[in-house]
Amino acid sequence: MNFTRWSARLPGTQRRAAARTKAGGSPAQLGESSVPAARAERLADTRSFADTPAGVDELPAREVLDRIPALVALVHGADHRIAYVNDAYTTAFGARPVGAPAREALPELDEVGLLPLLDQVLRSAKPRTVKSRKAPGGRSYTFTCTPVSLSLGGSAGDGSGGVLVFAADVTDHAEAAERLRASERTQRETAVTLQRSLLPQELEQPDDLRIAATYQPGGTDAAVGGDWYDVITLGGGRTALVIGDVMGRGVRAAAVMGQLRTAVRAYARLDLPPHEVLQLLDGLASEIDASQIATCVYAVHDPNEGSLAYASAGHLPILVRDENGTIHRADEPTGPPLGTGGWLHASGSLPLGPGSTAVLYTDGLVERRSEDIDEGVAALERALAGATGTPQVVCDRLIRALGVTADHDDDVAVLVLQQPARTGVHADLFRNAALELLGGVEAAPRARAFATGVLASWRFPPELHDLGVLAASELVANSLQHGTPPMRLRLRRTDRRLIIEVTDGDDHLPRRRRAEPADEAGRGIAIVATIASNWGSRRTPGGGKAVWCEFALPRA
């Protein structure tokens, strides 16, 4: 094959030729030669540069291609026979026989999957590029395949389609990108490990609730965020539930999440109303890192009230499905995210009776780039309306219904709690009894008689019965001496414990102190703390306080 008889008609050359023809001049009039490309090249070599300076169109194409460091190969025909390979290509892969089909003579192109692309370029007459393919020998190249027209001997019109393969060595870039990806994978694994270690390893299971949670980090291309959740038993049958999301990604977000979760557990032990807990967290978040903010919902379940008291700091609303299947959404009150400062949060309440299911979640479950977040929350409501079963089953069904997969682009945390509707034998294990105390000298005897009768009817062992009556008597006596009306004695049993609680109208919280031998008072709380498994006190929302103690029931 005479290589000098082919010429690559590049797009720029075609445009310039078309422009000159449109101007009205013939090729001869415009100084162009009508001889074939090879002859024109030889004429250009003998022409004096002083007479007519050489243009780009007259540059010898083969000489240019032979000298460039990039790999160049030219193939033609349906089976992509080799027309030319430059010196750089020969150095990289060895000599290649001209006229042989590419599938046999260019195995390196077959190995990187370029032969189907050559077919596509021939059919479409459009250039195609594949980036950073590793060729035999370990080097990486970016291949660009450009369609060209070839004149392969004979007359000028005797041509066939060809493809110019241009391969730029990008090994250094590919290795740098791989090192970067390896570093990102290591950082992601560290963040995921830190994130999971800071989340509860085992959820607390309160007496009155059944709870399950799911955490799923974003896909491998997404940095780990700061989603977290927690369940905290407060005593007296009450349970705190919290879910939050630290804005930001990576190890720093996970570390801030861990500090906030620890702070929530500490503040929860104070048994404060939800909005006061968020108020404390707001100030702490600013001190931890003023550049990062977090959203959070803190809720408290009280089985005596059959409700879920909550406060939100810029977080998505809690959803509750009641026993009839109706969905309730917690809209207000809500405040700005934690760390913004200068805002007084407020508490709200949702009904949570027997047979109800509540869902707390982070934005990764409902937020999509292609739709408004309200549409995601509405989709979650529809999914919750049809999701039945245990809390873990509900978690899994919500994840599937919202289209969360392993390559999801954001972290997802879901916390599901249910208050079972108990019947039969199970219902007998959960009982309530309350007595209003009007004060006066007859209040203490009435309280002892009430506790004696109730505990006897619940068939507690004699020792537990006597301890319960003693604790009720001491708590009532403390309330009569230091509290104000209205007063109430409440007894509650679950399948695991006996709870005794006394409320009154004074908000001064008692504390345990050591009574001197000569003191006539001050021993009531000390006695209760000694005989009970646990005790505590809190301020009630309407003013006043509640003092409670618990006794663990003997296991069957």
Side-chain angles (χ1 to χ4, degrees):
M1 177 184 296
N2 184 3
F3 179 77
T4 60
R5 298 299 302 274
W6 69 265
S7 63
R9 300 294 294 172
L10 301 179
T13 305
Q14 294 173 349
R15 288 196 299 270
R16 287 190 292 272
R20 286 193 293 268
T21 304
K22 186 175 181 180
S26 66
Q29 292 171 336
L30 296 174
E32 279 192 347
S33 174
S34 60
V35 298
R39 293 176 57 193
E41 182 178 329
R42 289 193 295 270
L43 289 175
D45 292 339
T46 60
R47 186 171 51 195
S48 172
F49 285 98
D51 298 332
T52 305
V56 175
D57 292 346
E58 284 82 16
L59 287 177
R62 177 164 185 166
E63 182 178 349
V64 173
L65 296 178
D66 277 341
R67 293 183 179 181
I68 62 175
L71 280 57
V72 178
L74 181 71
V75 298
H76 69 92
D79 53 355
H80 310 301
R81 294 184 176 274
I82 302 175
Y84 164 75
V85 293
N86 71 345
D87 293 342
Y89 197 104
T90 301
T91 302
F93 299 115
R96 295 292 183 262
V98 174
R103 187 172 298 278
E104 301 173 3
L106 300 175
E108 58 277 358
L109 298 187
D110 191 16
E111 189 166 328
V112 298
L114 211 63
L115 296 186
L117 188 67
L118 297 180
D119 296 333
Q120 183 181 358
V121 170
L122 273 183
R123 289 194 303 268
S124 65
K126 294 181 180 180
R128 294 287 187 271
T129 299
V130 291
K131 295 183 178 180
S132 191
R133 294 287 179 90
K134 182 169 288 188
R139 308 293 292 180
S140 296
Y141 299 91
T142 290
F143 293 90
T144 299
C145 302
T146 304
V148 295
S149 61
L150 302 179
S151 179
L152 303 173
S155 63
D158 185 15
S160 63
V163 179
L164 184 68
V165 180
F166 185 92
D169 192 331
V170 294
T171 304
D172 293 341
H173 296 284
E175 291 177 350
E178 180 57 34
R179 287 193 298 270
L180 179 60
R181 285 192 293 268
S183 175
E184 290 175 347
R185 284 194 298 269
T186 301
Q187 184 178 12
R188 172 183 166 76
E189 291 170 0
T190 301
V192 170
T193 302
L194 176 62
Q195 178 90 339
R196 291 195 180 278
S197 66
L198 293 174
L199 290 174
Q201 302 305 302
E202 185 176 352
L203 285 179
E204 298 182 26
Q205 293 293 337
D207 297 359
D208 295 273
L209 297 176
R210 297 295 175 262
I211 301 177
T214 295
Y215 169 72
Q216 182 170 316
T220 55
D221 294 333
V224 176
D227 295 17
W228 93 91
Y229 57 83
D230 209 348
V231 179
I232 310 162
T233 54
L234 302 178
R238 302 166 73 248
T239 306
L241 307 114
V242 60
I243 194 165
D245 185 4
V246 176
M247 304 303 174
R249 299 288 181 182
V251 175
R252 180 58 184 167
V256 172
M257 176 274 288
Q259 295 178 76
L260 289 178
R261 176 175 173 257
T262 302
V264 169
R265 294 193 70 89
Y267 294 147
R269 300 304 177 189
L270 301 176
D271 214 341
L272 300 172
H275 66 277
E276 293 189 22
V277 172
L278 291 190
Q279 209 70 48
L280 294 172
L281 277 178
D282 186 28
L284 180 65
S286 301
E287 296 176 7
I288 292 174
D289 191 339
S291 64
Q292 286 189 300
I293 59 176
T295 63
C296 179
V297 165
Y298 181 85
V300 176
H301 173 253
D302 189 340
N304 295 321
E305 304 295 335
S307 63
L308 192 67
Y310 70 93
S312 174
H315 204 79
L316 294 166
I318 302 172
L319 301 180
V320 176
R321 185 189 67 214
D322 63 21
E323 59 180 344
N324 299 319
T326 304
I327 303 296
H328 304 272
R329 180 193 293 198
D331 293 325
E332 296 291 342
T334 186
L338 302 175
T340 55
W343 184 271
L344 293 177
H345 294 271
S347 294
S349 180
L350 278 171
L352 189 71
S356 297
T357 300
V359 178
L360 291 76
Y361 52 96
T362 57
D363 57 359
L365 182 65
V366 297
E367 189 173 27
R368 302 292 181 270
R369 295 178 181 178
S370 59
E371 62 184 28
D372 188 81
I373 194 169
D374 288 336
E375 297 178 10
V377 176
L380 179 59
E381 289 183 352
R382 293 191 294 270
L384 178 60
T388 57
T390 66
Q392 188 59 59
V393 170
V394 173
C395 273
D396 297 339
R397 289 181 175 177
L398 295 181
I399 290 287
R400 289 195 302 269
L402 273 294
V404 178
T405 58
D407 58 350
H408 195 59
D409 60 358
D410 196 4
D411 292 12
V412 176
V414 183
L415 184 65
V416 174
L417 57 140
Q418 293 178 343
Q419 182 170 357
R422 299 179 175 88
T423 57
V425 177
H426 295 288
D428 292 337
L429 297 178
F430 290 80
R431 297 289 187 88
N432 276 292
L435 174 68
E436 300 292 338
L437 299 173
L438 302 179
V441 294
E442 74 283 357
R446 286 186 63 223
R448 283 193 295 269
F450 177 77
T452 300
V454 170
L455 298 182
S457 68
W458 289 348
R459 298 179 181 179
F460 285 141
E463 181 181 357
L464 180 59
H465 174 278
D466 295 341
L467 291 177
V469 172
L470 176 59
S473 177
E474 292 295 337
L475 291 181
V476 169
N478 182 77
S479 180
L480 290 173
Q481 183 174 357
H482 301 288
T484 59
M487 302 178 199
R488 171 186 287 184
L489 170 63
R490 186 195 301 270
L491 305 178
R492 176 174 175 78
R493 70 155 295 170
T494 70
D495 57 345
R496 306 178 202 172
R497 70 199 78 217
L498 166 66
I499 303 169
I500 302 172
E501 182 180 81
V502 175
T503 59
D504 63 57
D506 185 83
D507 61 0
H508 179 73
L509 299 181
R511 61 185 178 87
R512 183 180 179 181
R513 63 186 179 89
R514 183 185 298 275
E516 298 298 332
D519 292 343
E520 297 182 358
R523 294 183 175 85
I525 295 299
I527 293 174
V528 170
T530 301
I531 65 176
S533 305
N534 193 15
W535 80 280
S537 62
R538 71 178 189 279
R539 292 185 174 88
T540 53
K545 66 175 178 296
V547 186
W548 53 268
C549 67
E550 296 178 347
F551 293 88
L553 299 184
R555 295 185 178 274

